[in-house]
Amino acid sequence: MPSADVSKIVNRLRRVEGQVRGVAQMVEDDRYCIDILNQMQAVKAALGRAESEILKRHAGCCVAEAIASGDAEEQKQKFGELVDLFEKAKR
């Protein structure tokens, strides 16, 4: 993956980290619960966007390489990983 893409993901995760610290501060400051919950929703959305970027990276690199390799076992493994991931997401 190009370093620009990696930097984009890392920057996004650092922003999420800052948002989480902000939510913790809001709790410590006894801020209004709805305001805290709204910020938590924003954190989850930002984390979801980072997750999507990493999933795209996996599909674009790892899965594509397995398909191109022609190695049926590797293809099966990569497909299994994706199925397991989606199964976890449904829970």
Side-chain angles (χ1 to χ4, degrees):
M1 171 178 250
S3 63
D5 293 339
V6 170
S7 293
K8 180 179 169 184
I9 293 169
V10 170
N11 288 338
R12 186 179 300 271
L13 290 171
R14 287 191 177 132
R15 281 192 301 273
V16 169
E17 180 183 23
Q19 287 178 295
V20 170
R21 280 194 304 273
V23 170
Q25 187 64 51
M26 291 175 78
V27 171
E28 288 177 352
D29 293 345
D30 199 27
R31 297 275 300 273
Y32 185 55
C33 295
I34 294 300
D35 291 341
I36 296 168
L37 292 168
N38 283 331
Q39 286 304 309
M40 290 180 78
Q41 290 296 316
V43 168
K44 289 194 302 188
L47 196 55
R49 288 189 296 274
E51 180 181 33
S52 292
E53 289 298 319
I54 294 169
L55 181 56
K56 288 177 193 174
R57 174 186 179 187
H58 180 66
C61 297
C62 304
V63 174
E65 287 173 8
I67 292 168
S69 75
D71 182 339
E73 190 57 38
E74 185 178 358
Q75 293 168 355
K76 183 178 176 182
Q77 177 191 359
K78 297 300 179 194
F79 182 74
E81 289 172 351
L82 288 175
V83 169
D84 290 346
L85 179 69
F86 290 125
E87 285 294 319
K88 286 180 190 176
K90 287 187 342 186
R91 295 182 204 150

